Amino acid sequence: MITKIIALSGFYHAIAWSKPSQLAGLLYFSLCLLGGQTVVAADANKPALFSILDTRVSTETITASALNPTAGNNLILEVQLTESLDVPQQAIYWQISDAQGVPVQQVYGQAQALKLKEGHYHIQLSIGQFTLHKELAIQTDVVSRPYFKAELGQLAVMANHTANWTINSLSQTNIKFAVEATQYLEAWVPAGFYEVTPTYSGVARRQVVNVLAGHLSTVTIDIPVVQVSLIAVENNQPLFKPVAWTVFRLEQGGERQHIGNYYQHSQGITVPTGFYEVIATHDSTVRSRQFWVKENTINKIILAMD
């Protein structure tokens, strides 16, 4: 022991006293030697006090006080997203329910830190039509960090005319949704194949698109629509009086699909190509006519109300 003290005493005299940080380190080293201890480097297999300094260590749960001693949060929600997709924070929705399925908290955003009572919970992540579910046991003094990764893409569809849309997943059985009366729509969906169907005036067009994870997939569908002019006349002159028009689309097999009702003496409508019937009513006079609508043609349907 005396030998150690003499050796260390001589070593201390060689230190510049203007460097207190070096002196503190040497004093710590000396105390370890005097106590018969060995100084070791931090290792990933050592307790959390050392492992938190090592970036290689990734744990599902860590001590709450070590993460944030003041907030008291015990649940961290975060989803991994592909950098190529700019997902709005308000589109990322978390819903947390208790063991009985009763919702206890809802939050938005890619990352959230929460404080929950100890117990079992169901966590649902929703981004558009994409969903993930996890069951989790929460402890009061432990921070839980479940792993969420969103394998989703963005689907953008457009038609040359306002239509009612149906999007049906061919890769997953539980994804099917509809959007009405729009020419353009966007949706966040899981990666996979989708059948996109716009419908206008009873005419549907179908197209299959493959949505890749982390990519924007665009679809443009052309619905062949044609302008049709409905004109009521009397004595070969335009009838400047209200006329009730009812238009039907005639399908194969004799089925009649109602297209719309209109109330001008001269009415312009836009319909897909096909076979139609129009019924015009003025006072007690009723006239009807069947006609074809073809592309690249002038379609004027004139009914005499004499």
Side-chain angles (χ1 to χ4, degrees):
M1 179 67 71
I2 296 175
T3 303
K4 289 183 178 181
I5 294 174
I6 293 174
L8 291 171
S9 175
F11 188 70
Y12 291 154
H13 285 292
I15 299 174
W17 291 99
S18 61
K19 299 180 179 179
S21 61
Q22 295 182 8
L23 177 60
L26 288 171
L27 287 174
Y28 173 76
F29 183 79
S30 303
L31 291 174
C32 291
L33 291 177
L34 291 173
Q37 301 295 325
T38 303
V39 179
V40 296
D43 185 75
N45 297 320
K46 298 301 178 182
L49 180 62
F50 291 100
S51 63
I52 59 174
L53 303 177
D54 190 340
T55 57
R56 298 170 301 174
V57 178
S58 177
T59 56
E60 287 296 324
T61 58
I62 56 180
T63 304
S65 59
L67 178 72
N68 192 331
T70 60
N73 298 315
N74 55 4
L75 174 61
I76 296 178
L77 298 176
E78 186 173 8
V79 56
Q80 289 190 12
L81 299 170
T82 305
E83 294 182 359
S84 58
L85 289 180
D86 186 15
V87 182
Q89 292 297 304
Q90 64 270 21
I92 305 172
Y93 173 64
W94 304 87
Q95 179 169 306
I96 304 169
S97 305
D98 61 17
Q100 288 71 42
V102 179
V104 296
Q105 201 159 356
Q106 298 85 35
V107 291
Y108 292 85
Q110 185 174 356
Q112 291 287 345
L114 307 173
K115 182 179 181 180
L116 299 178
K117 295 181 180 179
E118 189 167 301
H120 288 80
Y121 293 89
H122 175 84
I123 302 175
Q124 175 177 305
L125 166 66
S126 300
I127 307 175
Q129 300 299 318
F130 177 90
T131 58
L132 275 178
H133 302 266
K134 285 190 183 285
E135 304 291 336
L136 191 65
I138 296 295
Q139 301 179 40
T140 303
D141 59 345
V142 173
V143 176
S144 299
R145 191 169 191 165
Y147 179 77
F148 287 88
K149 183 177 182 180
E151 295 287 345
L152 80 160
Q154 187 176 17
L155 175 64
V157 295
M158 177 183 291
N160 61 327
H161 203 279
T162 299
N164 296 328
W165 298 83
T166 300
I167 313 296
N168 184 30
S169 174
L170 303 178
S171 303
Q172 302 185 38
T173 58
N174 61 339
I175 298 180
K176 184 177 182 179
F177 60 99
V179 180
E180 295 185 353
T182 184
Q183 188 173 351
Y184 177 81
L185 68 91
E186 292 181 343
W188 299 103
V189 296
F193 287 91
Y194 291 84
E195 182 184 56
V196 179
T197 306
T199 301
Y200 178 74
S201 294
V203 177
R205 293 289 183 269
R206 294 177 177 84
Q207 187 166 332
V208 175
V209 57
N210 183 19
V211 178
L212 301 176
H215 289 78
L216 169 65
S217 301
T218 59
V219 180
T220 302
I221 300 179
D222 181 59
I223 303 175
V225 294
V226 181
Q227 292 285 335
V228 177
S229 296
L230 305 176
I231 303 172
V233 299
E234 188 176 48
N235 297 324
N236 293 325
Q237 298 295 323
L239 178 64
F240 294 105
K241 298 177 181 179
V243 175
W245 303 90
T246 304
V247 180
F248 297 92
R249 181 181 175 88
L250 305 180
E251 305 289 354
Q252 293 182 353
E255 181 181 354
R256 301 166 81 232
Q257 182 173 355
H258 180 256
I259 299 300
N261 295 319
Y262 312 95
Y263 300 96
Q264 304 292 330
H265 76 279
S266 179
Q267 180 72 52
I269 61 174
T270 302
V271 293
T273 57
F275 192 44
Y276 292 86
E277 180 182 20
V278 60
I279 300 174
T281 303
H282 171 64
D283 292 337
S284 59
T285 302
V286 179
R287 298 287 186 268
S288 65
R289 180 178 171 183
Q290 295 181 351
F291 58 96
W292 281 99
V293 174
K294 299 181 179 180
E295 290 187 83
N296 303 319
T297 59
I298 298 175
N299 295 274
K300 288 186 178 181
I301 309 304
I302 301 175
L303 292 180
M305 305 305 293
D306 299 316

